[in-house]
Amino acid sequence: SSHDARAMNRLPTGKKRKLTVLIGDHELGANEVMLSCLARINKDGDEIVVVSTGKPERLLEFARNQKFDLCILVLNNILFQVIPWKARRQYTLDLVVELKQACLAPIIAFAGVSEDILLPKDAERAGVNHFFWMPFSATDFMEAVKKCVLS
């Protein structure tokens, strides 16, 4: 049928996809490493659009108003008003739950507070798909990204 022919005609054009990534992190250093990893995965030259903020309310605002393919959070680099990690930890996990509901995108989380040994499990329970301690392995991160966006 002509409908099938039209669908087939669309495939080989090599149309670039657009990969939209929401990053929750107020330090640009880690972002740079993550972005270079994303660029290395991006062999097809898809356009990568990154929205980044360290503010929880902005993260939620973006998640509710835009479609994202992937969400990357540096859990201990999100700017809550409270300073002690114990209190921030709960706010951060609550934020993960809210983000997951708001944007439905897979979430890759990082954390640098490695003495918090229960964090990976708690983060996964809140909705994180892949968890990494910092410093992280670029190879493992790229694998996780592929699983999230190519599956």
Side-chain angles (χ1 to χ4, degrees):
S1 75
S2 65
H3 179 264
D4 291 338
R6 253 206 328 278
M8 281 175 59
N9 287 344
R10 262 206 312 272
L11 285 177
T13 58
K15 177 159 171 25
K16 294 193 187 312
R17 289 181 321 163
K18 190 158 121 180
L19 186 64
T20 54
V21 183
L22 177 61
I23 298 182
D25 179 16
H26 76 93
E27 286 176 19
L28 293 173
N31 273 354
E32 289 302 309
V33 180
M34 291 170 199
L35 294 177
S36 71
C37 288
L38 288 172
R40 276 163 58 193
I41 295 169
N42 187 21
K43 292 184 180 60
D44 303 330
D46 298 341
E47 184 188 354
I48 298 179
V49 178
V50 174
V51 176
S52 179
T53 177
K55 298 189 172 119
E57 61 283 356
R58 297 284 289 140
L59 277 169
L60 284 169
E61 195 181 310
F62 287 129
R64 291 186 181 120
N65 294 315
Q66 197 178 331
K67 186 192 171 303
F68 289 95
D69 300 299
L70 181 63
C71 181
I72 298 172
L73 302 174
V74 181
L75 300 178
N76 52 302
N77 274 358
I78 292 170
L79 300 170
F80 289 101
Q81 297 307 310
V82 291
I83 302 309
W85 170 245
K86 276 261 186 304
R88 253 184 28 229
R89 182 188 200 273
Q90 193 52 54
Y91 285 130
T92 305
L93 293 171
D94 292 345
L95 176 68
V96 169
V97 172
E98 285 189 78
L99 277 173
K100 194 73 177 189
Q101 289 168 346
C103 78
L104 305 173
I107 297 176
I108 297 178
F110 293 89
V113 279
S114 53
E115 66 278 7
D116 188 343
I117 54 171
L118 296 175
L119 188 57
K121 277 275 162 281
D122 290 345
E124 280 166 18
R125 223 174 277 132
V128 165
N129 299 75
H130 299 275
F131 180 94
F132 295 97
W133 291 115
M134 303 223 289
F136 61 94
S137 146
T139 313
D140 294 348
F141 171 61
M142 292 193 293
E143 273 310 301
V145 171
K146 283 182 199 154
K147 283 184 190 140
C148 288
V149 298
L150 301 175
S151 57

